[in-house]
Amino acid sequence: MALRFAFIKQSPLPVWDYELSYNTEEFLGLGLGHRWYFAEEDRYLPYARLGGNAYLESSDGVTGLIEIRRWRVHAGIGAGETFTGEIGTGFSVTGPDIYAQFGYNFQF
């Protein structure tokens, strides 16, 4: 499960987004991504994204952030304003991977 924060309704569109994730192995992930939009006036907002995440086990505490033993960098393409989709590839301590994720943007 992951939450990605970006102010999509902002003008100009956001180029940075922030991510908080938690997985079944009890790793907490903190991430940062940068977006490049292909056509900002398109209603589907197609983009390319480059990001990175650092993960810490719940027992690691703050020292897990200082000495990052688990990390992942990834690049993908995506689209969507309300419903979003992104596919890409990544590389981490465990090796390369591919991913597809789908989400819903909601506004506070």
Side-chain angles (χ1 to χ4, degrees):
M1 178 178 76
L3 292 173
R4 188 178 290 168
F5 304 98
F7 299 101
I8 299 295
K9 297 291 184 186
Q10 178 180 340
S11 182
L13 289 170
V15 293
W16 293 101
D17 57 54
Y18 313 94
E19 189 173 305
L20 178 66
S21 61
Y22 186 78
N23 67 20
T24 57
E25 296 174 1
E26 298 184 6
F27 287 109
L28 178 66
L30 304 172
L32 178 67
H34 190 278
R35 296 178 183 208
W36 293 271
Y37 295 94
F38 298 126
E40 292 187 21
E41 64 281 349
D42 188 296
R43 67 180 269 202
Y44 295 108
L45 296 176
Y47 63 88
R49 184 175 180 278
L50 182 63
N53 294 67
Y55 299 93
L56 60 116
E57 198 168 358
S58 53
S59 62
D60 285 348
V62 176
T63 58
L65 281 177
I66 296 168
E67 119 188 57
I68 299 174
R69 296 177 300 215
R70 298 170 199 92
W71 51 268
R72 179 174 183 258
V73 294
H74 47 92
I77 57 171
E81 182 178 10
T82 304
F83 292 98
T84 63
E86 184 176 315
I87 59 171
T89 184
F91 186 79
S92 67
V93 177
T94 57
D97 62 66
I98 58 172
Y99 71 93
Q101 63 185 34
F102 304 96
Y104 177 78
N105 289 326
F106 55 92
Q107 193 172 358
F108 292 101

